[in-house]
Amino acid sequence: MKLTGAQIVCESLLREGVDVVFGLPGGAILPLYGVMHQYPQLRHILVRHEQAAVMAADGYARTTGRVGVCMATSGPGATNLVTGIAGAQMDSIPIVAITGQVPRPAIGRDAFQETDVTGITLPVTKHNYLVMEASEIPAAIKEAFYIANTGRPGPVLVDIPKDVLQNETAEFFYPEGVDLPGYKPTLEGHPAQIQKAAKLIAQAERPVILAGHGIILSRAYDEIRELAEKSQIPVITTLLGISSFPTDHFLNVGMPGMHGMAYASMAINEADLLIALGMRFDDRVTGRISAFAPDAKIIHVDVDPSEISKNVRATVPIVGDIKRVLRALLPQVQPSLHPESVQRIEHLRIEHPSHRIRETDKLIPQSILKSLCEITDGRAIIVTGVGQHQMWAAQHYAFKESNHLITSGGLGAMGFEVPAALGAKVAHPDKPVWSICGDGGFQMTLCDLATAVENNIGVKFAIMNNNFLGMVRQWQDFFYDKLYTATSYTGNPDFVKLAEAYGIPAIRVTDKAQVEASIQWAEQEPGPVLVDFMVEPEENVYPMIPAGESLAEMIEEPYMDYSPLAQAEGRA
Amino acid sequence: MVTMTPRHTIVALVEDRPGVLNRVSSLFRRRGFYISSLAVGKSEQPHLSRMTFVVEGDEDTVEQVTKQLNKLIEVIRVSELNEEDIVVRELALIKVHASATTRSEIMQLVAIFRANIVDVGPQSLIIEATGEEDKINALYNLLRPFGVRELMRTGRIAMSRGTLEGRGERGAVQTNGASGGDRS
Ligand SMILES: Cc1ncc(C[n+]2csc(CCOP(=O)(O)OP(=O)(O)O)c2C)c(N)n1
């Protein structure tokens, strides 16, 4: 039987095992929505803004490892997806975005709601398609899913003209495999390189592991743990590598870089070997490259060959999937101890206790996040926006579960916190999902609180409300003479009333004493809730290595009590 | 013109699909790679085209260019050719002012350079020249005093020497499938 293009899209999505799609219709994609009732297995979640559709698909993808799917109409619908697509590209998230396009005869004529979506998204997708025949839809969708979630994952966009969806019919035939002669990701590491890596590890005296997002993407949790434990190598996790290795593990040193733990950055700089696994030496990690890890040889494992020696030259490069490479490497790694190195890091940790929170009666985000961690036993899925609260979440939530920090790392897109949390919760209805929001970022996507209500998506929203674009204010504080130009929000709405207007129970917390009770209250509420934490407005994130600088320029927390007693107590 | 930045010849075998050239040129622009020439045409295999790029930059840049090109789904094979061991050609069309008095002098130059005159107008000649870039530069410089009205060059196309088809190319190959980054 012949099916329309629209039906073929739905059939193809079902063949890919898609169970949920986030989207918002419009003229060009309406034929697809017109047949959706025939496919009740495809759950469609209607959003308020297309950015939420793609970021929800992102949150879904990150927390499941499966492809997240979103849909939008041509023109403004599709352009609203772009920020989310760019974020997925930067963070290697498998997403398939399906967009309607104006009918074929109208293409290129500046028709109503026509934009060159494949052109616009070309540099921010792993690949994209403009499908000009209904009969080509199955292969395009098959390839899109395959490309999105193999090798280094990433977003793929499929743009389909309205008349192809509506007027054209074709015999439906879903291909078994793909024919992509130009796309054959290398998964197995080269044996000779792996041997060299094992040798370097055996020779190293001060090795550290730099664990990146790649560990999570290839689900290599057991392997990294085995490597770390087998030869007692401290593990430093990048922002996106957090929760790839248990935070409370004695070998976990924490996050390095701009707002990382001072001792983690120091350990890198003193190391004689960096074992970089699925990380890309981002400038937020390295600071000034010329001063980064001056004494270290580097083993760099990544599935994307172009990451190798892009920013930092590798001594032993290995192209391959992290899990497979580690599995091949582990038997060749000799059990060993690096007591001096481990002790040295302990010592740095005592001298530079960046993980500590200063004693104060004020309501500061650091202690809120610590309480949240305690009450949720370090097992909640934490989704953040971008800015100070993001860094504090990374610093003070001690993750016990793998892959539980969901954050926009590479693009750093404010507004991610609301929709990505929705996607995560849709994927994991039984797990607690906390959206840690900035008052700035929250207001970029808060319209989708309505989506949470309509679909009863029980995300706990916690706003770290400083009435500032906090991180930018901090830069102004440090580098622009405290001139808070355009960072102060003096007219923020009453977020509690706002939430209530959406039908979301909400409370305001102004006092440190209310923190625990408010978190417990939120945990017990079945549906979405909001807690508006009125935090210290001018709190800064420490430590900070200014952009483009080295460890020598690091700014550490000034008010901290550095007395030996306090240090001894704060160690835990 | 003397340039200090080394030039590298890169050849890519790509699928003949709409938008491929756009993907490739967008990549060069966004990564800040400088291409001094780009030539595209069909290959011996159906639905596949071959592109020749001349890229300026150091070894690291060329390595990145190659790897980034390889990441494009429609790029099947990328290789940097060994400058010592390639045949390089470029085609140029040069429209030069030619009066009754200068015409024979120009024709002499054309003969020396084994170029051809492909069009004769009342005031001008069109010269077709093939060869390495230096030869075309030399011819162009000699013709300039006569008044060059228009110059059009295809950019370099290049092929490895050797008997087996595609061998040299494959020798330096970084296919997507090979452990590309493993050569350090
Ligand atoms: C979409 C977007 N616009 C601008 C920025 C630049 N920026 C980075 S952090 C930040 C402030 C974020 O403020 P808020 O969401 O309130 O979080 P806070 O830093 O106060 O915790 C801004 C404006 C960004 N990252 N994303």
Side-chain angles (χ1 to χ4, degrees):
Chain A
M1 194 184 78
K2 288 199 166 189
L3 301 181
T4 65
Q7 289 170 315
I8 292 177
V9 171
C10 293
E11 291 284 351
S12 303
L13 292 178
L14 287 178
R15 295 298 188 287
E16 290 297 333
V18 174
D19 55 2
V20 58
V21 175
F22 302 89
L24 194 152
I29 200 166
L30 209 44
L32 188 48
Y33 282 82
V35 300
M36 237 177 235
H37 67 279
Q38 301 167 10
Y39 302 91
Q41 316 94 296
L42 272 184
R43 177 181 178 200
H44 180 272
I45 294 183
L46 172 63
V47 293
R48 289 294 190 278
H49 186 295
E50 290 85 353
Q51 182 174 324
V54 57
M55 287 180 172
D58 181 314
Y60 176 95
R62 285 187 206 235
T63 53
T64 58
R66 297 170 55 196
V67 177
V69 183
C70 60
M71 286 180 183
T73 194
S74 68
T79 56
N80 274 348
L81 294 178
V82 172
T83 304
I85 292 175
Q89 170 80 347
M90 286 290 256
D91 288 352
S92 314
I93 306 304
I95 283 180
V96 168
I98 296 176
T99 48
Q101 182 53 277
V102 299
R104 283 169 295 183
I107 290 180
R109 296 168 186 275
D110 303 318
F112 177 64
Q113 292 191 333
E114 178 185 6
T115 48
D116 172 14
V117 174
T118 41
I120 289 172
T121 58
L122 190 143
V124 293
T125 47
K126 186 169 172 186
H127 196 51
N128 62 23
Y129 294 85
L130 171 59
V131 186
M132 294 295 269
E133 309 284 342
S135 62
E136 289 170 3
I137 292 173
I141 291 184
K142 177 88 198 172
E143 288 177 13
F145 276 79
Y146 180 78
I147 291 169
N149 212 9
T150 50
R152 179 179 184 170
V156 180
L157 180 134
V158 183
D159 197 28
I160 315 177
K162 182 176 187 174
D163 58 328
V164 174
L165 290 170
Q166 183 156 300
N167 307 344
E168 244 196 24
T169 57
E171 217 51 69
F172 176 69
F173 166 76
Y174 203 65
E176 294 268 308
V178 294
D179 177 24
L180 295 166
Y183 179 70
K184 300 210 162 45
T186 306
L187 299 178
E188 304 295 343
H190 197 287
Q193 296 295 101
I194 291 175
Q195 224 171 6
K196 279 192 215 160
K199 205 177 266 173
L200 276 191
I201 294 172
Q203 290 163 353
E205 281 170 17
R206 297 179 308 281
V208 294
I209 293 171
L210 299 184
H213 196 197
I215 306 277
I216 290 173
L217 292 170
S218 79
R219 304 297 192 259
Y221 313 124
D222 295 342
E223 289 76 8
I224 186 179
R225 189 171 178 151
E226 196 183 330
L227 175 65
E229 287 176 353
K230 193 167 184 186
S231 36
Q232 298 290 297
I233 305 175
V235 177
I236 291 169
T237 51
T238 68
L239 176 61
L240 292 184
I242 288 175
S243 81
S244 67
F245 185 72
T247 309
D248 57 3
H249 194 289
F250 77 103
L251 286 168
N252 192 328
V253 187
M255 178 172 78
M258 183 176 276
H259 291 298
M261 299 295 111
Y263 42 87
S265 301
M266 290 169 175
I268 293 178
N269 269 24
E270 294 183 6
D272 64 350
L273 177 66
L274 306 184
I275 307 167
L277 305 174
M279 55 83 68
R280 57 191 174 85
F281 295 99
D282 180 80
D283 51 270
R284 281 334 191 220
V285 167
T286 63
R288 190 175 344 113
I289 291 272
S290 57
F292 176 75
D295 304 325
K297 293 187 171 152
I298 298 175
I299 298 168
H300 192 181
V301 187
D302 204 291
V303 74
D304 178 354
S306 75
E307 281 306 339
I308 287 179
S309 298
K310 182 181 78 178
N311 295 338
V312 170
R313 190 146 268 282
T315 321
V316 175
I318 303 176
V319 177
D321 172 66
I322 305 288
K323 195 181 182 93
R324 298 195 199 197
V325 170
L326 288 182
R327 279 198 180 163
L329 173 68
L330 279 167
Q332 301 182 43
V333 172
Q334 301 306 319
S336 60
L337 298 167
H338 297 96
E340 274 170 42
S341 166
V342 173
Q343 268 166 27
R344 170 72 185 148
I345 294 173
E346 277 303 288
H347 176 76
L348 290 171
R349 208 170 136 103
I350 294 168
E351 296 234 297
H352 302 271
S354 347
H355 57 288
R356 277 186 45 206
I357 299 171
R358 75 169 196 283
E359 287 299 327
T360 173
D361 293 333
K362 293 178 173 163
L363 182 58
I364 57 173
Q366 298 92 306
S367 51
I368 298 171
L369 285 154
K370 188 137 192 249
S371 298
L372 178 64
C373 179
E374 281 158 11
I375 294 169
T376 55
D377 191 28
R379 296 183 196 278
I381 295 178
I382 300 295
V383 185
T384 81
V386 173
Q388 294 185 309
H389 64 283
Q390 175 188 35
M391 292 299 115
W392 282 315
Q395 291 179 344
H396 300 294
Y397 195 95
F399 291 86
K400 288 191 182 156
E401 304 273 340
S402 305
N403 188 24
H404 270 42
L405 174 63
I406 305 302
T407 194
S408 173
L411 190 68
M414 285 168 70
F416 183 78
E417 56 261 63
V418 176
L422 297 181
K425 185 70 182 175
V426 166
H428 299 278
D430 300 331
K431 284 191 186 168
V433 174
W434 279 81
S435 167
I436 311 300
C437 309
D439 53 295
F442 181 69
Q443 290 182 81
M444 289 196 174
T445 44
L446 68 81
C447 53
D448 274 276
L449 290 180
T451 309
V453 173
E454 271 167 5
N455 299 280
N456 193 27
I457 305 171
V459 171
K460 318 295 173 196
F461 298 96
I463 304 180
M464 301 297 131
N465 187 352
N466 51 19
N467 288 306
F468 271 115
L469 294 168
M471 183 57 92
V472 181
R473 185 207 53 74
Q474 174 171 345
W475 285 49
Q476 291 172 328
D477 180 351
F478 287 7
F479 314 117
Y480 296 90
D481 300 328
K482 278 190 189 284
L483 281 172
Y484 295 161
T485 307
T487 43
S488 165
Y489 276 155
T490 54
N492 267 345
D494 179 332
F495 290 117
V496 172
K497 280 192 188 156
L498 185 96
E500 284 166 358
Y502 279 100
I504 293 181
I507 51 172
R508 175 163 300 114
V509 173
T510 52
D511 198 305
K512 199 177 173 185
Q514 305 164 309
V515 170
E516 286 187 16
S518 68
I519 295 170
Q520 272 150 358
W521 167 78
E523 280 276 282
Q524 274 145 31
E525 283 289 319
V529 294
L530 183 144
V531 185
D532 185 20
F533 290 101
M534 303 304 297
V535 297
E536 267 300 292
E538 296 194 33
E539 194 66 18
N540 287 331
V541 182
Y542 294 101
M544 176 170 195
I545 302 173
E549 302 281 8
S550 73
L551 200 49
E553 283 80 24
M554 182 167 63
I555 307 166
E556 286 188 85
E557 165 100 61
Y559 318 110
M560 189 77 85
D561 179 358
Y562 286 106
S563 72
L565 184 66
Q567 290 184 20
E569 284 171 352
R571 272 276 299 108
Chain B
M1 202 179 73
V2 185
T3 152
M4 292 310 290
T5 340
R7 305 170 97 212
H8 305 263
T9 308
I10 295 174
V11 171
L13 191 65
V14 306
E15 288 189 62
D16 214 352
R17 291 219 202 135
V20 174
L21 191 57
N22 189 12
R23 284 181 204 280
V24 169
S25 57
S26 156
L27 183 151
F28 277 91
R29 178 190 54 75
R30 117 176 155 264
R31 299 264 171 195
F33 301 138
Y34 182 70
I35 351 182
S36 48
S37 84
L38 163 59
V40 201
K42 293 209 176 302
S43 76
E44 74 287 351
Q45 300 172 58
H47 314 300
L48 297 184
S49 293
R50 205 168 251 117
M51 297 184 175
T52 310
F53 311 92
V54 179
V55 178
E56 288 182 15
D58 54 18
E59 287 298 328
D60 286 352
T61 309
V62 174
E63 190 178 325
Q64 264 300 310
V65 169
T66 318
K67 288 173 170 179
Q68 293 295 343
L69 280 171
N70 255 325
K71 268 171 79 166
L72 298 177
I73 309 290
E74 286 142 343
V75 171
I76 296 189
R77 201 157 74 202
V78 183
S79 31
E80 189 196 344
L81 302 188
N82 177 357
E83 299 289 323
E84 312 286 287
D85 200 23
I86 49 174
V87 177
V88 166
R89 286 295 178 272
E90 187 178 10
L91 174 73
L93 293 177
I94 309 169
K95 187 185 282 174
V96 64
H97 179 75
S99 63
T101 49
T102 58
R103 204 165 280 251
S104 63
E105 204 178 332
I106 293 172
M107 285 162 80
Q108 262 177 359
L109 280 174
V110 167
I112 293 167
F113 278 83
R114 294 177 206 270
N116 297 314
I117 291 169
V118 290
D119 183 66
V120 180
Q123 297 291 320
S124 65
L125 300 171
I126 296 181
I127 296 159
E128 172 206 293
T130 317
E132 299 195 7
E133 290 95 331
D134 288 351
K135 170 180 160 183
I136 291 171
N137 291 343
L139 175 60
Y140 171 66
N141 285 332
L142 288 169
L143 289 172
R144 261 167 55 178
F146 300 99
V148 172
R149 297 274 174 267
E150 233 179 285
L151 167 69
M152 200 175 281
R153 301 173 68 153
T154 56
R156 168 187 290 203
I157 56 171
M159 204 176 263
S160 284
R161 290 181 195 279
T163 42
L164 283 180
E165 179 275 316
R167 242 205 97 208
E169 228 177 275
R170 219 164 280 143
V173 159
Q174 279 203 319
T175 63
N176 278 330
S179 305
D182 286 357
R183 43 155 223 178
S184 150

